[in-house]
Structures are given as C-alpha cells and as structure tokens.
Amino acid sequence: MFHSWLDRWDERRAARGDAVKTTTRFALGADLAFPGAGRVESITEFCALADHAVADPGYFDEPTGADPTFEFEDDRLRFRSGMSSEVEENNTVWAKVTDSGSRGQALVVFHHWNASARYRQIARFFARRGITVVEIALPYHFERSRPGSLYADHMLSANLGRTIQSLRQAAWDGRKLIGWLQREGYGEISVLGMSLGSWVAGLIAAHEPAVSKAALFLTAGRLADMVWTGRATQAIRESLEPAIDQEDLRRAWGPLDLEKYAHLLARDDLDLHLVLARRDTVVLPDLSDRLVQTLKDAGANPGILELNCGHYSLSMPPYILWAGLSTARLLRHGR
C-alpha cells in the first residue's frame, strides 16, 4: 500500500512539471553543436558529425585561452562561461558555495532539469562532514534562466544541436570551476549529479582527470533513450517523433551518451557510485541497468545503491538519507 501511495505521489509531482512544458519545433541546430561544420541539411549529415564528436577526445575540452575572472563574494561565485549562447544571462555562470572550513575536499553538485531551488540540505549535510559543496547552476537555470521562459526549454529540447551545446557548455563550465577549486588549494575534488545533472557530472568525470570520485543519482547511459521513454520528457518526444526515430536520435545525441565513455569512467583513479530508483518512470530502470553492465564490461567496479522509490520520491526520507550516507562513505573511503 505504501508503494502504491509513493507511485501516486511521483505521478502527481510529474504532472505538475508537465503543466508548463509545451511541444516545440524540431530543429537540427548543427551549428550550435558543431561550430564551423558548415551547412547541414539532413539527419544523416548531423549523425555523421555526432559520430566524429564521439571519437574526438577533445570535444569536451574548452579551447585554451585566458582564464576568466572569478568573483567570489559571501557564498556566491561568478565567472564567464567559455561558451557563448544567444541568451546573455546564460553566459555568466553562478555557483553557491557552502564552506566546510577545510581545503581538504570539495564536491561540485549538478542539479536536475528544471530545478526550482538549490539543494540546501544536501549542501549542509556534506559541509558538516568537512566537505565544501559548490552548487553550480546548469545552463538556463536559476540566475542563467532565459527571460520569459517558464522552464529550462533550451537545456533539453527537440533542437538536437542546442541540447548538445547546452550539455557541452555545462561540462565546460564544470571543468572551469574545478580548475578554480584546484587553484584554491582543494586537494580532492568530486562531483555529484542528479538526474540530468548526472549526465553532466558523468561527462566531466570521464574527461576531467582532476575528478577522483563521482556520485551519479538517477542516471543512465543513453540520453536519447531517457528522453524517448521518460515520464518527464513526453513533450520533447512529441516534438521529435514526427521528424526522427529513436535509433537516429541515439546516434545524433551520441556525444552525450555516457556508455560511449565507459572506458574513461573505468579508469583506476576514479571511484564511481550510482544511486538508482527501482520505481523510476523518468529514467527507466532498464536504462540504468544497461549503463551498469556497460561500465562493468569496461572494467569499472561502481558502487550501486538501489532504492525502492521513484524519481521524485528519492528526495523524501528515508531514501535521500540513505543516498546521502552512501555518498558520504564514498567521499570518505572510496568504493
């Protein structure tokens, strides 16, 4: 009976999110994902560029250049993104710092899609354990929101190229922030991502050698499959389906597929921890299971915590407490 109530609670929470989401026009947007690629007029051409990006080890490396100015006042950090979008507000990166008083460990947190508030309780939980927490705003969220938008429709959408651009920008921003933390003297840097934020955290963990531990909550490998099958992204699928099938979408969004980087996530000096919800209707459990198996096949030995809750009810006790404690053990001792 309790789990039936939990499922209904998750469904009501999902329905509230649906109230502001709308279908949008499908677009390739290749110039956003692959600058300088020239005129791209077909899905086949777009997918060929995506294949090339997957094979490019530097695709998630920000071009070298002068370091930005970091402005840190009270608990707020601000710096210029290395990627420029058409929304000026999005081009300044904001982060909230919950200082533990120690330069030993820092944890960079990447929130979920359409988050309405930062994770104050999570930040305090880890700060009390001697870990400084830095909550970065993903593109088009919080201070970076597009004026007039009701949700972060530019972060994840039926515009193939803009979605890649947004997650690539998030990875660049996160890596730039990690560089700042290194210069500030933090000896160990970890990442934690929630839902869509777990894709960003996973991409960074795969490509940024300074990250030693990664906790991925409510995650899977193929972003395309999550969008196609997930409860929270039905409006995006409705926009995509007349123009592209699921198989082509997998290939088009290949650069965002964590399974493509399983060999990088399996490196010896990275500890991985996954927190999964067995009643999840947003990131379906079989998609998470596929990522776990792909990681193991690549030689990784991730810690796995499976909870009998839904996507949204992970935020409720006791589930969030169990997730927090398991992550605290990872940060303290490794896998």
Side-chain angles (χ1 to χ4, degrees), residues 44-99:
T44 300
E45 291 174 291
F46 189 102
C47 288
L49 291 169
D51 292 343
H52 180 76
V54 170
D56 179 3
Y59 186 69
F60 288 98
D61 297 343
E62 184 180 341
T64 57
D67 286 336
T69 299
F70 285 81
E71 300 177 12
F72 186 34
E73 184 176 355
D74 296 327
D75 62 351
R76 300 285 171 169
L77 178 67
R78 182 175 68 178
F79 60 94
R80 191 74 175 173
S81 176
M83 186 178 295
S84 180
S85 71
E86 63 189 23
V87 177
E88 181 57 32
E89 289 81 358
N90 180 54
N91 298 330
T92 297
V93 186
W94 292 81
K96 183 179 185 299
V97 180
T98 304
D99 196 343

